[in-house]
């Protein structure tokens, strides 16, 4: 699957156009790192066209999105007073015809459990839906994002144009039936199987519009699947996990959508997609679970210490978005001490293993133990 901007690139190459400028200050945004995607969205929304200009533009972008200059082709809005002066080369119709040649899945935010949220939670869901609108436009285009079970309360809270996406007041199952979709993937943190490339051929991916890993809404997402199966839609329940565990995987709707698009559209493997989206907060959640696996109990001069290797920071930072200060913070929260691996090796050599209260300790009998401690 390709980004909308990549489809526009194909059309440009076919017409031997190597760079595109703009006569508009708004599209694309000059600070954008996705100028062709922005132009493609504007074309698809019938806001303008790509034309042959009479004089080279002062600013342009090549097909890799790099800023350059002196393009003989440019994006021009339809409301521009200069449009009639130029030969129109590419319009939204050209893009729509190319899109129609392939099948594109829908990405559905299911709001069936909207009323289970508190007022504060409803505002958060509405915000995440708004951010999801921005995410879908970075990869595809607005109508690929679907919101179902949309009610008046949500419409008042939604701070984005619902007419630019696919907004549906009724049940998800009803929408899928109308679109002729009979098989979907439900992203469910309680599923047994991970999402994989074998699942990408479905007509829609369902993202539950609810966080259900704890509290009174725990394990609510599977009910979305049960409702769909009740009317004959095949549901493949899949989870997005990081090295076999959902802890550390972003749980905001917009972030789930983003890492899903990275996998489906950009062909990222799951761990890499998570790393690109994961915040330090989610990374610390996972680190709190991982570090205790490596602790060594020492009893030194009568004092108990839980020690881990300092080098673990380097190992975990390869697949978690943790900074040194995050690592130190988690150590303090857990009451752990980080020492260099060679230092721990030395302590192991001079210690004696002993079971104390059912737990293995490395005992060092010294009058005074001086240790190099980086977080005491």
């Amino acid at each position: 699957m390709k980004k909308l901007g990549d489809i526009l690139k194909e059309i440009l190459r076919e017409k031997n156009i190597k760079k595109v400028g703009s006569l508009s200050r708004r599209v694309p945004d000059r600070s954008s790192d996705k100028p062709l995607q922005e132009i493609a969205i504007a074309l698809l929304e019938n806001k303008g066209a790509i034309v042959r200009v009479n004089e080279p533009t002062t600013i342009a972008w090549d097909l890799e999105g790099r800023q350059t200059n002196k393009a003989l082709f440019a994006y021009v809005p339809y409301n521009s007073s200069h449009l009639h002066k130029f030969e129109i080369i590419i319009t939204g119709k050209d893009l729509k015809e190319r899109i129609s040649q392939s099948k594109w899945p829908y990405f559905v935010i299911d709001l069936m459990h909207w009323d289970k949220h508190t007022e504060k939670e409803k505002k958060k869901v509405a915000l995440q839906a708004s951010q999801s609108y921005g995410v879908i436009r970075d990869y595809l285009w607005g109508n690929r994002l679907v919101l179902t079970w949309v009610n008046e309360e949500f419409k008042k809270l939604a701070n984005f144009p619902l007419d630019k996406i696919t907004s549906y007041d009724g049940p998800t199952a009803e929408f899928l039936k109308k679109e002729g979709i009979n098989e979907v993937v439900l992203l469910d943190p309680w599923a047994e199987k991970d999402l994989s490339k074998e699942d990408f051929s479905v007509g829609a991916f369902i993202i539950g519009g609810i966080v259900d890993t704890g509290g009174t809404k725990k394990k609510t997402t599977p009910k979305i699947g049960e409702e769909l199966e009740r009317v004959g839609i095949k549901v493949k329940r899949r989870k997005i996990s990081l090295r076999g565990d959902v802890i550390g995987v972003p749980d905001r709707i917009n972030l789930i959508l983003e890492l899903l698009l990275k996998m489906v559209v950009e062909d990222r493997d799951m761990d890499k997609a998570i790393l690109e989206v994961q915040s330090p907060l989610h990374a610390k959640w996972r680190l709190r679970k991982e570090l205790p696996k490596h602790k060594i109990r020492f009893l030194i001069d009568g004092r108990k210490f839980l020690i881990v290797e300092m080098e673990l920071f380097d190992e975990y930072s390869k697949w978690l978005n943790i900074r040194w200060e995050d690592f130190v913070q988690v150590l303090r929260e857990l009451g752990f001490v980080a020492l260099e691996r060679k230092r721990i090796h030395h302590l192991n050599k001079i210690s004696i293993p002993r079971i104390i209260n059912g737990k293995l300790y490395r005992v060092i009998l010294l009058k005074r133990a001086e240790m190099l401690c980086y977080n005491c």
Side-chain angles (χ1 to χ4, degrees), residues 194 239-249 269-272 274-275 286 289-290 293 315-320:
D194 281 346
K239 65 182 177 181
I240 296 175
S241 69
L242 179 58
R243 299 199 174 190
D245 199 319
V246 297
I247 295 177
V249 177
D269 66 62
M270 187 178 290
D271 285 359
K272 185 172 179 60
I274 293 171
L275 185 63
R286 181 59 177 268
K289 183 174 182 179
E290 292 292 326
K293 299 176 182 178
E315 295 178 16
Y316 280 113
S317 60
K318 292 176 182 177
W319 57 276
L320 290 175

Side-chain angles (χ1 to χ4, degrees), residues 172-174 176-177 181-184 225 227-235:
T172 301
E174 189 175 279
L176 295 172
K177 291 287 187 180
I181 297 172
N182 53 25
E183 183 178 27
V184 301
E227 180 69 17
L228 296 176
E229 290 174 331
R230 188 180 62 80
V231 296
I233 294 172
K234 183 179 178 181
V235 177

Side-chain angles (χ1 to χ4, degrees), residues 109 111 114 122-138 142 145 147 154-155 157-162 164-165 252-255 257:
I109 299 175
L111 300 176
W114 173 262
K122 288 177 180 178
K123 290 179 181 178
K124 288 183 177 180
V125 170
L127 173 62
Q128 291 172 31
S130 174
Q131 293 169 329
S132 296
Y133 169 65
V135 170
I136 199 75
R137 288 166 64 92
D138 283 341
L145 178 65
L147 267 69
F154 175 83
K155 291 177 183 178
L157 292 173
N159 189 27
F160 66 103
L162 291 175
K164 294 289 182 68
I165 65 164
R252 292 173 61 91
I253 296 168
N254 54 299
L255 296 180
L257 174 63

Side-chain angles (χ1 to χ4, degrees), residues 195-244:
L195 181 68
S196 67
K197 292 182 180 180
E198 287 71 31
D199 304 314
F200 292 174
S201 61
V202 297
F205 294 88
I206 314 296
I207 303 172
I210 190 168
V211 176
D212 66 344
T213 53
T216 59
K217 296 182 285 294
K218 188 174 182 179
K219 293 192 176 182
T220 304
T221 298
K223 295 180 181 179
I224 296 174
E226 293 169 6
E227 180 69 17
L228 296 176
E229 290 174 331
R230 188 180 62 80
V231 296
I233 294 172
K234 183 179 178 181
V235 177
K236 299 168 76 173
R237 292 178 56 209
R238 298 291 185 265
K239 65 182 177 181
I240 296 175
S241 69
L242 179 58
R243 299 199 174 190

Side-chain angles (χ1 to χ4, degrees), residues 63-297:
L63 299 193
E64 300 305 317
R66 295 178 295 237
Q67 189 168 314
T68 179
N69 58 17
K70 295 184 178 180
L72 293 174
F73 299 89
Y75 169 82
V76 179
Y78 281 137
N79 60 7
S80 170
S81 59
H82 303 291
L83 182 63
H84 69 282
K85 301 177 183 178
F86 309 123
E87 175 191 358
I88 295 178
I89 305 298
I90 300 173
T91 67
K93 182 180 179 182
D94 299 305
L95 209 48
K96 289 176 183 177
E97 287 179 355
R98 186 62 59 91
I99 289 171
S100 66
Q101 297 172 14
S102 303
K103 289 186 178 181
W104 304 86
Y106 285 106
F107 297 86
V108 183
I109 299 175
D110 186 303
L111 300 176
M112 181 173 75
H113 298 291
W114 173 262
D115 290 331
K116 289 184 171 67
H117 294 90
T118 64
E119 293 304 310
K120 184 177 180 180
E121 289 171 337
K122 288 177 180 178
K123 290 179 181 178
K124 288 183 177 180
V125 170
L127 173 62
Q128 291 172 31
S130 174
Q131 293 169 329
S132 296
Y133 169 65
V135 170
I136 199 75
R137 288 166 64 92
D138 283 341
Y139 293 83
L140 301 176
W141 58 98
N143 86 335
R144 291 295 99 185
L145 178 65
V146 181
L147 267 69
T148 58
W149 299 89
V150 175
N151 55 36
E152 292 303 317
E153 185 179 21
F154 175 83
K155 291 177 183 178
K156 291 178 181 178
L157 292 173
N159 189 27
F160 66 103
L162 291 175
D163 61 323
K164 294 289 182 68
I165 65 164
T166 302
S167 176
Y168 194 76
D169 295 351
T172 301
E174 189 175 279
F175 168 78
L176 295 172
K177 291 287 187 180
K178 285 185 177 182
E179 294 295 322
I181 297 172
N182 53 25
E183 183 178 27
V184 301
V185 163
L186 172 65
L187 293 179
D188 180 1
W190 305 99
E192 294 181 0
K193 293 184 178 180
D194 281 346
L195 181 68
S196 67
K197 292 182 180 180
E198 287 71 31
D199 304 314
F200 292 174
S201 61
V202 297
F205 294 88
I206 314 296
I207 303 172
I210 190 168
V211 176
D212 66 344
T213 53
T216 59
K217 296 182 285 294
K218 188 174 182 179
K219 293 192 176 182
T220 304
T221 298
K223 295 180 181 179
I224 296 174
E226 293 169 6
E227 180 69 17
L228 296 176
E229 290 174 331
R230 188 180 62 80
V231 296
I233 294 172
K234 183 179 178 181
V235 177
K236 299 168 76 173
R237 292 178 56 209
R238 298 291 185 265
K239 65 182 177 181
I240 296 175
S241 69
L242 179 58
R243 299 199 174 190
D245 199 319
V246 297
I247 295 177
V249 177
D251 58 1
R252 292 173 61 91
I253 296 168
N254 54 299
L255 296 180
I256 294 171
L257 174 63
E258 184 175 358
L259 67 88
L260 176 59
L261 287 165
K262 284 182 179 294
M263 292 177 65
V264 176
V265 179
E266 295 187 335
D267 198 30
R268 295 281 200 279
D269 66 62
M270 187 178 290
D271 285 359
K272 185 172 179 60
I274 293 171
L275 185 63
E276 291 180 3
V277 174
Q278 184 188 62
S279 69
L281 174 64
H282 293 101
K284 285 189 290 185
W285 290 351
R286 181 59 177 268
L287 189 62
R288 290 186 189 100
K289 183 174 182 179
E290 292 292 326
L291 284 182
K293 299 176 182 178
H294 303 277
K295 69 178 183 291
I296 305 172
R297 295 183 177 88

